[in-house]
Amino acid sequence: MKVLLFNGSTRKNGCVHRALSEVAAALAQDGVQTEILQMGNNAIWDCMGCDYCHNGGNGRCVHEDVANEWLEKIEEADGFIFGSPVYFAHPTGQFLALLDRLFYAGGEHFRFKPGASIVTARRAGTTASIDVLNKYFTDACMPVVSATYWNMVHGTQPEEIEQDLEGLQTMRNLGHNMAWMLKCLEAGREKGVALPAMEEAQWTNFVR
């Protein structure tokens, strides 16, 4: 089993990386492989709605950047954790642009795989940011993994995160809960529990 942890910060070793590392350590304790993926500080394209990914693109985006690198890894992963700093009570714009493309191009590879979000902030905007990220999971038919509080840590630098003992504990509990859910899903597969059958999509527009 493997979980991908996505760092939606432009800072490679900042607060988000510190929080994701705490989750990854808990997952490793429970025998789950992890990989932290860094968005970086290069320009990120928005989704253009060109539908190339579904028409000739074989599930890949027309823009050649980190999105396609991540899509290859997403296909083989079993669970996902997305982390972002809070900007103006919201996840970063770059990260949301990237997630729009990942979930549009590779939505089928997220389906029925557990997901969770974590955020870091100096002070406020955390729960609003978590709400934004969690909407990707519920749209993609993913089980959402919870912890023992909202998945957040506070601080402006990684060393300040160390003082948020409750936040770091929440990160560890999230990792253990993710590992537990993955093992439950694996046990279900071994017992022959089939995934739910998906109905054909029905699109309803409200403009008449």
Side-chain angles (χ1 to χ4, degrees):
M1 291 178 286
K2 184 173 183 178
V3 171
L4 297 179
L5 301 96
F6 300 87
N7 185 346
S9 172
T10 57
R11 299 179 181 179
K12 184 175 181 180
N13 294 309
C15 294
V16 175
H17 184 270
R18 176 65 190 90
L20 290 175
S21 297
E22 197 76 5
V23 181
L27 284 162
Q29 287 179 5
D30 292 336
V32 178
Q33 296 181 9
T34 63
E35 182 178 1
I36 298 177
L37 301 175
Q38 168 66 28
M39 180 179 68
N41 55 10
N42 294 324
I44 300 293
W45 284 88
D46 287 320
C47 179
M48 302 188 303
C50 67
D51 220 29
Y52 168 81
C53 53
H54 299 139
N55 292 284
N58 296 318
R60 297 294 181 265
C61 185
V62 69
H63 300 300
E64 288 295 338
D65 61 11
V66 69
N68 285 333
E69 297 175 18
W70 287 8
L71 282 166
E72 291 185 11
K73 295 177 178 290
I74 286 166
E75 290 185 22
E76 304 301 324
D78 301 293
F80 311 95
I81 297 175
F82 298 88
S84 175
V86 172
Y87 290 179
F88 292 96
H90 207 261
T92 68
Q94 304 101 306
F95 196 39
L96 292 181
L98 191 52
L99 292 181
D100 284 351
R101 292 164 57 208
L102 292 176
F103 277 84
Y104 188 67
E108 64 180 304
H109 302 299
F110 288 106
R111 192 172 298 150
F112 300 119
K113 297 179 181 179
S117 60
I118 68 105
V119 298
T120 69
R122 181 190 69 85
R123 185 172 177 86
T126 47
T127 54
S129 298
I130 289 171
D131 181 61
V132 171
L133 294 172
N134 283 357
K135 285 184 169 65
Y136 286 98
F137 312 145
T138 55
D139 181 71
C141 201
M142 299 169 65
V144 180
V145 182
S146 60
T148 46
Y149 193 69
W150 294 284
N151 302 331
M152 63 182 75
V153 293
H154 289 85
T156 56
Q157 300 295 330
E159 54 268 23
E160 293 181 356
I161 301 296
E162 304 299 333
Q163 301 177 51
D164 186 1
L165 300 182
E166 183 178 359
L168 289 174
Q169 182 182 62
T170 300
M171 297 300 107
R172 294 191 295 273
N173 288 336
L174 175 62
H176 293 311
N177 287 356
M178 170 68 82
W180 171 81
M181 184 174 289
L182 287 171
K183 292 175 182 180
C184 287
L185 291 169
E186 183 179 53
R189 286 192 295 270
E190 292 174 353
K191 291 292 185 180
V193 178
L195 294 175
M198 301 297 293
E199 295 186 8
E200 183 178 351
Q202 299 292 324
W203 297 94
T204 303
N205 297 321
F206 294 95
V207 178
R208 297 287 187 260

